[in-house]
């Protein structure tokens, strides 16, 4: 009975979110009241709507402003539960096996949600991504890509002109001028950095993303070259984003990155990938004497 009442209440709130985006404070209070007593039912319905409609993601996240920290933690659990639902296929057979639309929308929801609520624990989501990568699945790279783009500020633009390409070879200030994007809060960046620079997530993710390149090319049972190429491109983009984000804090990055020899021999990374991971530290080492002399 309580579940039915909560379901009816959340249906009314969801209609208001879709039709009345100007009174989000009042809607947020009503949603928090319903979720306080029945968080499981409430967030389950919210996530299903976010998976179905991409334009529904931003209003839903805005309506969570009055949620308690415990309710937001329940939502973070429900996200993993939806991602791990065996009855839902992450590949879309109607589109040559590419990521299903519900999975793309849920990955986007993860980025928008953790950007707006950086205090919510995200270690569970990262551990889920690590486990899925360790099982040979590359689709969860999309979740990490959204987190790095929206929470970490490491956005990636696929179609750029020659001037933008030259600008990307410069420093951070020039990159911001060439590719102006809305920068996330310092708190959101700090929380994501702390989560990724953890030894249990940082190095395993780096190694698994790098190894996933070989898995996509040589160990995937698919004859669709277009799908293989797109999966490889996403893997490469996430790898570059991941290294760029972690290397912003050299002092901590150097503590989790093994030696070049260990990356190649024990962790079986390609030499060019190991060099890509170590290049920010090499650049910082070359700049250190110059900074010291000044």
């Amino acid at each position: 009975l309580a579940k039915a009442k909560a379901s009816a209440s959340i249906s009314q709130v969801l209609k208001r979110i879709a039709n009345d985006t100007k009174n989000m404070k009042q809607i947020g209070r009503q949603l928090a009241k319903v979720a306080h007593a029945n968080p499981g039912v409430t967030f389950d319905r919210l996530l299903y709507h976010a998976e179905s409609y991409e334009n529904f993601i931003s209003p839903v996240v805005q309506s969570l402003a009055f949620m308690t920290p415990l309710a937001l933690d329940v939502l973070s659990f429900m996200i993993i539960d939806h991602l791990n639902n065996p009855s839902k296929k992450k590949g879309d057979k109607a589109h040559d096996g590419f990521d299903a639309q519900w999975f793309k929308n849920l990955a986007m929801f993860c980025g928008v949600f953790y950007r707006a609520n950086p205090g919510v624990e995200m270690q569970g989501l990262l551990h889920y991504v690590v486990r899925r990568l360790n099982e040979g699945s590359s689709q969860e790279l999309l979740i990490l890509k959204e987190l790095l783009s929206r929470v970490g500020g490491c956005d990636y633009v696929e179609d750029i002109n020659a001037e933008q390409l030259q600008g990307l070879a410069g420093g951070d200030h020039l990159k911001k001028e060439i590719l102006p994007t809305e920068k996330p809060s310092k708190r959101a960046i700090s929380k994501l950095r702390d989560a990724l620079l953890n030894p249990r997530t940082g190095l395993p993710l780096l190694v698994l993303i790098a190894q996933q390149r070989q898995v996509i090319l040589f160990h995937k049972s698919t004859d669709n070259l277009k799908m293989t190429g797109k999966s490889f491109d996403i893997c490469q983009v996430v790898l570059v984003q991941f290294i760029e984000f972690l290397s912003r804090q050299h002092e901590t990055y150097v503590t989790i990155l093994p030696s070049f020899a260990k990356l190649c021999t024990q962790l079986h990374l390609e030499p060019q990938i190991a060099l890509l991971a170590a290049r920010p530290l090499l650049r910082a080492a070359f700049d250190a004497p110059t900074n010291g002399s000044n």
Side-chain angles (χ1 to χ4, degrees), residues 195-215:
L196 291 179
L197 286 175
N198 189 313
R200 295 182 57 190
T201 53
L203 181 60
L205 277 174
L206 175 62
V207 173
L208 288 170
I209 296 170
Q211 291 177 346
Q212 198 66 29
R213 290 160 41 94
Q214 301 300 314
V215 173

Side-chain angles (χ1 to χ4, degrees), residues 82 118 147 150 220 249 252:
H82 274 238
L147 290 176
R150 299 181 184 275
K220 289 289 186 181
Q249 196 167 355
T252 311

Side-chain angles (χ1 to χ4, degrees), residues 153 155-161 163-165 167-168 172-182:
D155 205 358
Y156 178 82
V157 180
E158 296 183 2
D159 299 324
I160 58 176
N161 55 38
E163 294 180 354
Q164 290 175 326
L165 184 61
L168 291 177
D172 293 336
H173 293 288
L174 183 58
K175 291 179 181 179
K176 293 176 183 177
E177 293 295 330
I178 295 297
L179 301 173
T181 55
E182 185 181 355

Side-chain angles (χ1 to χ4, degrees), residues 61 64-65 67-77 110-124 147 151 185-195:
V61 174
L64 300 176
M67 293 290 176
T68 63
L70 178 59
L72 295 177
D73 285 339
V74 174
L75 178 55
S76 66
F77 168 79
C110 291
V112 177
F113 170 70
Y114 282 105
R115 175 172 177 158
N117 303 277
V120 180
E121 179 66 39
M122 66 176 70
Q123 285 290 345
L147 290 176
V151 186
S185 65
K186 292 182 178 179
R187 184 165 177 251
I189 296 175
S190 177
K191 288 291 184 179
L192 181 61
R193 182 184 294 117
D194 292 342

Side-chain angles (χ1 to χ4, degrees), residues 55 79 127 135 203 212 278:
N55 59 352
I79 290 174
H127 288 166
E135 294 173 353
L203 181 60
Q212 198 66 29

Side-chain angles (χ1 to χ4, degrees), residues 1-164:
L1 181 60
K3 182 177 180 180
K5 290 182 178 179
S7 181
S9 300
I10 192 61
S11 297
Q12 295 297 324
V13 176
L14 290 174
K15 290 180 181 179
R16 294 200 60 188
I17 292 178
N19 299 325
D20 189 6
T21 57
K22 296 181 179 180
N23 298 322
M24 293 307 298
K25 288 186 177 180
Q26 183 179 357
I27 297 174
R29 291 189 180 96
Q30 293 178 353
L31 186 63
K33 184 177 180 181
V34 177
H36 184 72
N38 299 278
V41 179
T42 302
F43 296 138
D44 190 57
R45 292 288 301 277
L46 278 180
L47 290 176
Y48 272 122
H49 274 70
E51 292 168 6
S52 303
Y53 311 103
E54 180 180 340
N55 59 352
F56 199 74
I57 295 175
S58 181
V60 165
V61 174
Q62 293 178 21
S63 67
L64 300 176
F66 296 94
M67 293 290 176
T68 63
L70 178 59
L72 295 177
D73 285 339
V74 174
L75 178 55
S76 66
F77 168 79
M78 295 297 297
I79 290 174
I80 301 174
D81 184 64
H82 274 238
L83 289 170
N84 202 37
N85 190 343
S87 64
K88 303 169 72 173
K89 302 298 182 182
K90 297 175 183 176
D92 189 356
K93 294 182 179 179
H95 295 85
D96 297 328
F98 290 112
D99 294 331
Q101 189 61 44
W102 75 266
F103 182 69
K104 293 179 182 179
N105 292 344
L106 188 55
M108 184 187 300
F109 180 86
C110 291
V112 177
F113 170 70
Y114 282 105
R115 175 172 177 158
N117 303 277
V120 180
E121 179 66 39
M122 66 176 70
Q123 285 290 345
L125 181 62
L126 294 176
H127 288 166
Y128 168 79
V129 174
V130 169
R131 180 176 65 84
R132 292 294 296 156
L133 290 176
N134 198 31
E135 294 173 353
S137 174
S138 60
Q139 292 171 312
E140 282 70 21
L141 288 172
L142 189 60
I143 300 173
L144 196 57
K145 182 176 182 291
E146 289 290 339
L147 290 176
L148 291 170
S149 299
R150 299 181 184 275
V151 186
C154 293
D155 205 358
Y156 178 82
V157 180
E158 296 183 2
D159 299 324
I160 58 176
N161 55 38
E163 294 180 354
Q164 290 175 326

